[in-house]
Amino acid sequence: MPKHFNWLVAMLVLITVNAQAQKTSDAFNGLGMNMGNLFRLSDAKTRSISPENFTGQPGQGGRATLEQGVSGQQARELGVGWKVNPFIFIEGGKTVTLAEIEGPGAVQHIWMTPTGNWRYSILRFYWDDEKEPSVEVPVGDFFGMGWGEYAPLNSMPVTVNPGSAFNAYWVMPFRRKCRITMENISTERMNLYYQIDYTLTDVPDDAAYFHAQFRRNNPTKGSLYTLVDGIKGKGHYVGTYMAWGVNNNGWWGEGEIKFFMDGDKEFPTINGTGTEDYFLGSYNFENKRTRQYEPYSTAFAGLHQVIRPDGLYAAQQRFGMYRWHVMDPVRFEKDLKITIQDLGWRSEHRYLPQQSDISSVVYWYQREPHAPFPKLPAKNNLEVN
């Protein structure tokens, strides 16, 4: 057989193998959904966990008997499959596992509507059998409702709809396992409707794990609030929520946010110009015509909650703000610390160091393992008062 024929056969085989490899590498895994790839097919498997299907397994929804379901009495004339177990009770002092999922895959959407004191319901997420959670946040704060009352929030990663419908669209990949729990630290029983939508699919090697951490200072010390410190490893920061209670008159948001990253000591790499500027507002969030704060809720930033004194017991101004770094994540290689100054104005056009009541949730992705979280504040220090 001519040598050039053998060479030609070898080249055709190589081209075929490369084409097959390219086809495999181009296969869509069902993650990173957007309008630009909505038409693409994939081998990802859609699953959903709720009180009507605790495992998310195919064909296992709506099977609760009238005796098992919390709404069995209401469904007694209709029978199995007719809204027999749409929610769960969580007794005071108890922790319930909401979802336990074998990977690989990713959580793509969470909806829930908890009753009771939202600061007393603690969400925790664990990835791949880790012992310490990667998410540990009171449920209200996780969804931007740190003051314990409803305010509409309309953004890309988080939406809150009437009357207390919490939604999160953060993509949360995991390789081996996902476990989500809720602890009720109240003495009173709560109800929880919830649904966790996820996909079982291949997770890329460069996929990092989702993290969220809560903090509160009431009041701040030294007029400086630390949103997070001690983050170690490689990752990127994707969001800030703040519940800010003001304890003085006048404009309160003059402080600058600072991102100390990858070895920064005294001075940061990223230095903001003012609180309202960081949350993509300007000039005191003020409507110059009405002389009032102007709430707004947009895809990536908002002052979505303005609580004004009511003339009786609600005596202080309180604000809820978010800034999602979806289009501009803050990438770090080794470490990250974030602070914001608690700064207002005093007489003679001078800055006023304040002592505000500030709570926050920070959101980021990183490779595991993550550094230990600080202990959550005690129950009385979580309470909004």
Side-chain angles (χ1 to χ4, degrees):
M1 184 178 293
K3 291 183 178 180
H4 72 273
F5 183 79
N6 292 337
W7 176 84
L8 181 61
V9 170
M11 287 298 297
L12 289 173
V13 170
L14 182 60
I15 290 171
T16 302
V17 170
N18 286 340
Q20 290 174 343
Q22 182 66 36
K23 183 177 180 180
T24 300
S25 65
D26 287 344
F28 182 43
N29 65 0
L31 300 179
M33 296 304 303
N34 58 68
M35 293 298 292
N37 61 21
L38 196 56
F39 63 92
R40 295 192 66 182
L41 296 175
S42 77
D43 292 328
K45 308 299 182 188
T46 297
R47 299 289 184 264
S48 183
I49 287 176
S50 76
E52 291 284 17
N53 186 350
F54 287 119
T55 67
Q57 293 300 311
Q60 297 303 306
R63 286 176 173 260
T65 66
L66 298 183
E67 294 73 25
Q68 294 170 325
V70 296
S71 295
Q73 180 68 11
Q74 291 83 350
R76 64 188 181 276
E77 296 180 0
L78 299 175
V80 173
W82 289 90
K83 200 168 183 177
V84 175
N85 199 59
F87 67 95
I88 61 172
F89 298 116
I90 305 180
E91 301 294 338
K94 300 298 183 181
T95 298
V96 170
T97 296
L98 305 182
E100 196 155 3
I101 307 165
E102 297 295 328
V107 175
Q108 294 182 303
H109 170 245
I110 298 172
W111 166 89
M112 59 178 56
T113 178
T115 64
N117 187 328
W118 296 338
R119 275 278 169 91
Y120 289 171
S121 302
I122 311 300
L123 268 178
R124 294 183 176 92
F125 295 29
Y126 303 81
W127 310 122
D128 296 353
D129 295 311
E130 63 184 354
K131 302 303 181 184
E132 298 297 324
S134 290
V135 173
E136 186 175 43
V137 181
V139 68
D141 295 82
F142 185 78
F143 293 94
M145 298 291 117
W147 292 118
E149 59 184 72
Y150 165 76
L153 195 164
N154 182 21
S155 75
M156 290 287 286
V158 178
T159 64
V160 179
N161 304 320
S164 58
F166 299 167
N167 295 270
Y169 289 92
W170 301 108
V171 178
M172 306 178 194
F174 53 93
R175 290 176 172 84
R176 295 191 303 277
K177 190 174 182 180
C178 161
R179 182 164 64 94
I180 301 175
T181 69
M182 181 176 283
E183 179 185 10
N184 178 11
I185 65 173
S186 173
T187 58
E188 300 175 355
R189 184 171 75 177
M190 64 173 291
N191 300 350
L192 180 67
Y193 292 82
Y194 71 95
Q195 185 163 329
I196 299 168
D197 301 318
Y198 62 98
T199 187
L200 300 176
T201 189
D202 294 332
V203 173
D205 292 340
D206 61 359
Y209 291 89
F210 181 79
H211 294 72
Q213 184 184 121
F214 172 85
R215 295 195 180 194
R216 186 188 193 186
N217 286 172
N218 184 22
T220 56
K221 305 296 191 295
S223 300
L224 188 67
Y225 181 79
T226 299
L227 289 98
V228 72
D229 59 1
I231 293 179
K232 302 295 183 184
K234 180 182 177 67
H236 47 271
Y237 184 82
V238 295
T240 306
Y241 163 71
M242 299 191 76
W244 196 307
V246 183
N247 293 322
N248 49 269
N249 294 322
W251 170 238
W252 48 272
E254 205 60 39
E256 295 179 339
I257 195 167
K258 300 176 188 291
F259 290 76
F260 299 83
M261 49 206 294
D262 297 338
D264 289 341
K265 300 301 183 186
E266 184 178 358
F267 298 103
T269 295
I270 299 174
N271 200 127
T273 58
T275 302
E276 79 274 47
D277 306 339
Y278 172 67
F279 291 99
L280 306 188
S282 68
Y283 293 107
N284 313 352
F285 300 121
E286 182 182 344
N287 183 315
K288 299 301 183 183
R289 182 180 61 81
T290 65
R291 301 301 303 276
Q292 297 289 319
Y293 289 105
E294 181 84 9
Y296 62 99
S297 186
T298 68
F300 304 121
L303 174 77
H304 63 290
Q305 190 166 34
V306 177
I307 299 175
R308 297 176 172 89
D310 67 358
L312 191 60
Y313 298 120
Q316 303 299 115
Q317 291 185 113
R318 291 171 169 173
F319 304 88
M321 304 167 286
Y322 63 91
R323 167 73 158 92
W324 310 137
H325 294 268
V326 173
M327 306 305 291
D328 56 343
V330 178
R331 298 177 176 90
F332 53 92
E333 294 291 329
K334 297 184 299 182
D335 55 74
L336 181 68
K337 173 183 176 180
I338 307 171
T339 66
I340 192 167
Q341 298 160 336
D342 184 14
L343 204 61
W345 284 108
R346 69 193 321 158
S347 63
E348 300 176 350
H349 210 64
R350 293 173 294 156
Y351 289 137
L352 170 66
Q354 300 173 143
Q355 292 182 306
S356 301
D357 174 6
I358 301 178
S359 301
S360 65
V361 180
V362 297
Y363 310 77
W364 77 97
Y365 290 89
Q366 72 162 93
R367 290 174 175 164
E368 293 288 3
H370 65 270
F373 285 14
K375 188 176 180 180
L376 279 179
K379 180 180 176 180
N380 286 347
N381 294 329
L382 284 171
E383 185 177 4
V384 173
N385 46 33

